[in-house]
């Protein structure tokens, strides 16, 4: 159900066997990074997913992972290991669940009982044996179906299966250079970049606390832009304002395509 995300078809062995990514791997360390913002967007403006309010997480978390790796090495001596965040064939959510950090909700997200799901997942695979945490055994979704009922495009299927090819996040971010399908018109609920619906409705996210990481401090324009400001944005200004933002993944053309699509 990956649509045009053809990279999902590849490297099955690497996804399921970390020793193929890090020879001799013995341990997976999972880290969560809170990105929940305390501010919100202008309520009438085209919506941007909260993870994209600030700087690109790939850049800032990768730096932090490298610093963390060095710190561990300084403490226990040299070893071999690599850090990953969203950019390699690593089953990040499954490893996070195996590491005891939470359960996979019906919305497909890794949810932590004490702090919700507005977290990025980062993974370190290392060739050192550790004392292991137990997997999170319990699922706290119970009989709740809020995310399934609220998903604007019916992308959440039974059995914790997400149809990625129907997710607004896929359409607005991953489907670059392509027209959006007509049968999805009027269904995006004003989401222009990503979608937070299945997390916003999740009762476990009432425990979300604002991030203290300066990298995720919202870009002023994301909070303040009106619909007209977005529509009047030039390519030059886009490149300047969003040069360190996740929005650059969609490029100017993609953002303009999304704006047109949600206003039609
Ligand atoms: C491709 C991708 C997408 C695609 C497809 C999403 C999907 N559900 O698969 C699209 C573009 C739609 C997408 C959207 C989003 N994504 Co995304 N995405 C990824 C990516 C790169 C791969 C996910 C993947 O492998 N999917 C395939 C399915 C099969 O795997 P899975 O859902 O992760 O986990 C299932 C399997 O692992 C299976 N399973 C369990 N045990 C085992 C064992 C084995 C051996 C196997 C084979 C399988 C298996 O059960 C799990 C539950 O179904 C990951 C980063 C990464 N490398 O993991 C980020 C990631 C999942 N995304 C993330 C985020 C934040 C989002 C969005 C919230 C962004 C947004 N606001 O718009 C939405 C949420 C959509 C949703 N409800 O899932 C975060 C999730 C953080 C969290 N707390 O869970 C991740 C982990 C990135 C990160 N490093 O932080 N994403
Ligand atoms: S991110 Fe939005 S479109 Fe995607 S599964 Fe969740 S609610 Fe549905
Ligand atoms: S909204 Fe309800 S069913 Fe969906 S993930 Fe959250 S607790 Fe689970």
């Amino acid at each position: 159900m990956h649509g045009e995300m053809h990279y999902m078809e590849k490297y099955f062995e690497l996804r399921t066997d970390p020793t193929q990514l890090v020879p001799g791997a013995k341990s997976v360390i999972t880290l969560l990074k809170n990105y929940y913002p305390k501010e919100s967007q202008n309520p009438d403006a085209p919506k941007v997913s909260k993870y994209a309010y600030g700087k690109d997480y790939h850049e800032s978390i990768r730096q932090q992972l490298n610093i963390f790796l060095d710190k561990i090495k300084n403490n226990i001596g040299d070893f071999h290991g690599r850090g990953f965040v969203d950019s390699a064939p690593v089953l990040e959510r499954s490893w996070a669940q195996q590491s005891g950090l939470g359960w996979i909700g019906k919305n497909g997200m890794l949810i932590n009982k004490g702090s919700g799901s507005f977290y990025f997942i980062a993974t370190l695979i290392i060739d050192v044996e550790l004392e292991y945490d137990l997997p999170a055994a319990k699922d706290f979704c119970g009989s709740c179906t809020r995310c399934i009922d609220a998903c604007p495009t019916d992308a959440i299927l039974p059995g914790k299966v997400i149809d990625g090819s129907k997710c607004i996040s896929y359409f607005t971010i991953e489907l670059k250079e392509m027209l959006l399908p007509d049968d999805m018109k009027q269904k995006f609920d004003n989401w222009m970049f990503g979608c937070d619906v299945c997390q916003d409705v999740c009762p476990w996210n009432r425990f979300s606390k604002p991030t203290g990481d300066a990298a995720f401090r919202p870009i002023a324009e994301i909070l303040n832009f009106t619909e007209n400001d977005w529509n009047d944005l030039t390519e030059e200004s886009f490149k300047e304002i969003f040069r360190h933002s996740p929005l650059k993944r969609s490029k100017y053309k993609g953002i303009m395509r999304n704006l047109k699509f949600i206003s039609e």
Side-chain angles (χ1 to χ4, degrees):
M1 300 179 190
H2 53 286
E4 299 296 322
M5 297 181 288
H6 295 294
Y7 64 90
M8 297 294 290
E9 291 163 25
K10 297 183 200 148
Y11 309 121
F12 183 82
E13 293 73 21
L14 269 65
R15 277 178 214 281
T16 50
D17 179 5
T19 64
Q20 302 214 11
L21 286 168
V22 175
K26 296 238 169 48
S27 300
V28 174
I29 302 174
T30 316
L31 302 122
L32 301 184
K33 185 67 162 177
N34 177 13
Y35 61 83
Y36 189 72
K38 69 169 181 288
E39 302 90 341
S40 33
Q41 272 186 278
N42 178 342
D44 304 321
K47 293 185 240 178
V48 174
S49 172
K50 289 184 246 310
Y51 87 83
Y53 279 15
K55 285 197 177 136
D56 192 329
Y57 61 102
H58 298 96
E59 295 168 21
S60 67
I61 296 180
R62 191 175 312 284
Q63 280 172 6
Q64 293 176 354
L65 271 180
N66 288 336
I67 295 171
F68 185 51
L69 255 183
D70 285 344
K71 269 195 181 162
I72 308 178
K73 284 182 181 172
N74 286 341
N75 273 293
I76 67 167
D78 202 20
F79 59 84
H80 193 58
R82 283 173 70 188
F84 303 92
V85 56
D86 195 35
S87 54
V90 176
L91 282 171
E92 291 174 342
R93 304 202 249 211
S94 295
W95 286 119
Q97 184 268 334
Q98 292 285 304
S99 307
L101 284 176
W103 76 99
I104 313 260
K106 288 178 193 164
N107 60 3
M109 303 302 290
L110 187 274
I111 308 174
N112 181 280
K113 202 175 166 208
S115 46
S117 66
F118 287 108
Y119 283 82
F120 297 117
I121 302 174
T123 310
L124 281 180
I125 300 178
I126 63 173
D127 64 355
V128 179
E129 207 154 310
L130 302 173
E131 273 178 38
Y132 301 110
D133 292 309
L134 291 174
K138 215 166 156 354
D139 174 326
F140 292 93
C141 281
S143 58
C144 173
T145 55
R146 283 195 202 182
C147 53
I148 299 172
D149 303 340
C151 173
T153 55
D154 297 324
I156 307 181
L157 308 179
K160 304 182 177 182
V161 175
I162 308 299
D163 183 345
S165 73
K166 284 174 82 180
C167 177
I168 294 172
S169 197
Y170 163 73
F171 288 122
T172 55
I173 305 172
E174 302 302 321
L175 257 196
K176 290 177 271 287
E177 316 279 330
M178 289 176 81
L179 287 175
L180 299 178
D182 274 347
D183 60 350
M184 285 291 155
K185 278 227 168 102
Q186 314 275 321
K187 288 195 176 170
F188 280 16
D189 192 23
N190 218 20
W191 287 97
M192 177 191 75
F193 186 87
C195 167
D196 284 337
V197 172
C198 58
Q199 296 190 86
D200 284 339
V201 298
C202 179
W204 295 98
N205 277 328
R206 65 180 182 265
F207 301 117
S208 303
K209 292 196 184 66
T211 176
D213 192 322
F216 305 129
R217 200 172 295 142
I219 296 172
E221 285 81 354
I222 292 213
L223 299 181
N224 305 330
F225 262 18
T226 61
E227 186 176 354
N228 284 343
D229 293 330
W230 282 109
N231 284 318
D232 292 345
L233 188 66
T234 63
E235 184 158 10
E236 224 185 349
S237 313
F238 175 82
K239 284 187 175 155
E240 174 58 28
I241 298 168
F242 300 108
R243 66 186 187 284
H244 294 299
S245 150
L247 266 68
K248 65 181 184 299
R249 185 168 172 88
S250 293
K251 303 206 170 79
Y252 177 71
K253 259 191 179 163
I255 296 293
M256 290 297 136
R257 173 204 62 180
N258 296 348
L259 281 169
K260 187 164 175 280
F261 190 79
I262 57 177
S263 66
E264 277 170 354

